[in-house]
Amino acid sequence: MGRRGMRPGLGFGGGCLPKDICGFMARAGELGVDQALTILREVDAINNRRRERMVDLARQQLDGTVMGKRVTVWGAAFKPNSDDIRGSPALAVAQKLHEFGATVTVTDPQALDNARKMHPELDYVDDPITTVQDADPLLHLIEWPQYSHVDPHRLAARTATPRASSTAAAP
């Protein structure tokens, strides 16, 4: 994994690492290695808290509630350059915001078909610029290169309430 896996963000997803951590926890429990089990549980808890934190930040940006708001999520795959949505932190955030009453629109360069199948309750749009139209917050959750080159002024003109926040990576 190296440096590519050690970047700030929503935590890890995918099919391998989360499954491996669960397997390590089970084995540590069998062997009675309590300290290792404690560390692994905390790794899993930290990973889940990253997603919760993003939901909390979105709610804070919208004066405490997302009920009735339009939320745009850029990213559905668990990592860029993939259509794999297994354990996707971005989709976990989108789903939670939907459960809190937001209308959530998701875009992703490769993973929309898979996301539609798994989360039909969310809205999907191919074009990232279109997704921002009248959105309350835009959550840029996956590091797709296509998203980092979009002019923020172009986006601000389309959103319901232009505002900027760089607090997503804060603990």
Side-chain angles (χ1 to χ4, degrees):
M1 181 183 294
R3 291 182 77 150
R4 293 179 320 181
M6 300 303 288
R7 300 181 73 148
L10 287 178
F12 55 84
C16 298
L17 187 56
K19 178 184 56 110
D20 291 346
I21 288 175
C22 288
F24 291 145
M25 285 191 296
R27 188 64 179 144
E30 291 170 3
L31 296 173
V33 188
D34 294 338
Q35 187 175 13
L37 183 57
T38 300
I39 291 169
L40 291 167
R41 281 186 180 145
E42 187 57 24
V43 166
D44 193 47
I46 290 168
N47 191 48
N48 289 324
R49 283 195 306 266
R50 299 306 307 145
R51 300 163 193 209
E52 294 166 12
R53 175 73 174 134
M54 179 54 64
V55 171
D56 290 343
L57 287 170
R59 292 170 78 182
Q60 287 172 15
Q61 285 289 311
L62 297 171
D63 300 321
T65 184
V66 296
M67 177 71 73
K69 302 293 186 179
R70 287 185 33 90
V71 177
T72 294
V73 171
W74 279 4
F78 83 90
K79 66 179 183 177
N81 303 311
S82 172
D83 68 351
D84 192 346
I85 63 164
R86 294 175 296 166
S88 166
L91 283 177
V93 168
Q95 178 61 38
K96 184 56 80 174
L97 292 169
H98 173 74
E99 289 172 11
F100 284 140
T103 299
V104 181
T105 303
V106 178
T107 191
D108 188 283
Q110 293 182 21
L112 284 188
D113 289 339
N114 292 337
R116 275 187 190 103
K117 291 174 193 168
M118 184 66 76
H119 296 282
E121 67 283 357
L122 303 175
D123 296 329
Y124 298 93
V125 175
D126 290 323
D127 177 43
I129 302 303
T130 303
T131 63
V132 179
Q133 190 64 47
D134 298 324
D136 293 296
L138 160 62
L139 305 180
H140 179 177
L141 301 183
I142 305 295
E143 296 179 88
W144 283 99
Q146 297 91 319
Y147 299 157
S148 62
H149 299 295
V150 175
D151 178 9
H153 298 291
R154 183 176 175 203
L155 297 176
R158 293 175 170 264
T159 61
T161 309
R163 62 184 88 178
S165 176
S166 61
T167 58

